[in-house]
Amino acid sequence: MIRAFIFDLDGVITDTAEYHFRGWKRLADEGGLSFTREDNEHLRGIPRRESLMLILKDRVYPEEKIQEMMERKNGYYLEFIKEISPRDLLPGARELLEEIRAAGLKNGLGSASKNAGEVIERLGIYSLFDAISDGHSVERQKPAPDLFLHAAQQLSLSPAECVVVEDAAAGIEAARAGGFRSVGLGPAERVGKADAIFPSLAGVWLENLLTAIAA
Ligand code: G6P
Ligand code: MG
């Protein structure tokens, strides 16, 4: 019996995945580091520090410099998200969140971003969530299941009663590790391990999700 959906934010509800990319790209360019859109695919769902480590590869920097780079990237990201408004919701996202609520089910947010609260506030969908778990909620981030378990606990539900909706390989892995069923959004190379896959939430309704994960 499914009683809730736990949504990732970046790349699922809004396209902030693009802003994270642009922030890292600017930082990489400033440091003369190579960083492509393709490299960025591996950074989806990965927390700030681990993302930077993946960009730096085997280069070693003092902790102070690492902190400075993380702050600089976050500064760029905060500039980008200042402009976010309800127009930036990805197609189908608000409709689905509203339909889930209307059906008496719950919505949780499970995003590794420390900026998730601000983004959903700006998108005008804060009140559509019954639980918010973000980059401040747990120590171990995706692919560990902790963030989704945190959200399920806030909803007073077991993982078996929740479905995770994700665009990242690390997120699908986290869902599986926690005993959640999952819906992957995007190409199979990225979210192939999900129980059901859709290109995006556009035109996807509650019934489509329930049918797909039951199959
Ligand atoms: C999400 C995004 C990642 C981002 C991470 C941390 O998981 O998909 O691209 O690195 O959040 O975000 P933050 O806003 O805390 O730097
Ligand atoms: Mg994501």
Side-chain angles (χ1 to χ4, degrees):
M1 178 72 177
I2 299 303
R3 319 223 3 217
F5 286 81
I6 301 174
F7 291 87
D8 172 49
L9 175 65
D10 302 305
V12 169
I13 287 175
T14 184
D15 200 13
T16 35
E18 176 65 21
Y19 295 150
H20 282 295
F21 167 68
R22 289 189 201 170
W24 287 127
K25 179 64 184 155
R26 183 159 167 200
L27 187 95
D29 287 350
E30 285 165 352
L33 304 166
S34 109
F35 180 61
T36 64
R37 225 168 240 289
E38 199 188 336
D39 297 332
N40 186 62
E41 286 297 284
H42 303 287
L43 266 52
R44 278 181 191 260
I46 305 294
R48 200 179 303 171
R49 188 184 183 90
E50 283 73 7
S51 296
L52 178 60
M53 293 304 148
L54 288 171
I55 293 168
L56 296 178
K57 302 214 175 75
D58 41 20
R59 292 176 189 84
V60 182
Y61 288 96
E63 180 58 27
E64 226 172 69
K65 179 71 181 163
I66 289 172
Q67 291 296 335
E68 183 277 321
M69 286 190 278
M70 288 196 295
E71 275 166 35
R72 188 148 37 105
K73 183 270 178 175
N74 195 50
Y76 301 149
Y77 184 72
L78 289 174
E79 275 298 309
F80 291 135
I81 65 171
K82 267 208 308 221
E83 305 297 321
I84 286 184
S85 76
R87 282 193 312 267
D88 295 298
L89 281 159
L90 283 169
R94 175 189 286 278
E95 293 82 346
L96 182 60
L97 289 165
E98 285 173 349
E99 192 195 10
I100 288 169
R101 269 285 184 79
L105 308 183
K106 290 184 169 166
N107 291 317
L109 187 76
S111 166
S113 175
K114 293 193 162 114
N115 298 302
E118 176 166 352
V119 172
I120 60 166
E121 186 79 62
R122 288 187 184 282
L123 290 169
I125 54 169
Y126 202 99
S127 63
L128 286 173
F129 288 97
D130 302 285
I132 292 171
S133 298
D134 65 14
H136 300 285
S137 304
V138 295
E139 284 275 315
R140 290 194 316 160
Q141 293 292 345
K142 304 166 191 176
D146 304 29
L147 189 70
F148 295 138
L149 292 171
H150 184 272
Q153 198 173 18
Q154 285 196 79
L155 294 167
S156 304
L157 296 173
S158 70
E161 295 172 302
C162 307
V163 177
V164 166
V165 185
E166 260 287 352
D167 70 318
I172 299 296
E173 216 179 297
R176 288 167 62 97
F180 295 88
R181 268 165 291 175
S182 58
V183 171
L185 304 181
E189 305 87 72
R190 205 168 71 207
V191 292
K193 290 194 178 151
D195 297 299
I197 303 178
F198 293 90
S200 72
L201 290 180
V204 176
W205 297 99
L206 177 57
E207 196 194 326
N208 305 120
L209 292 179
L210 294 174
T211 309
I213 56 159

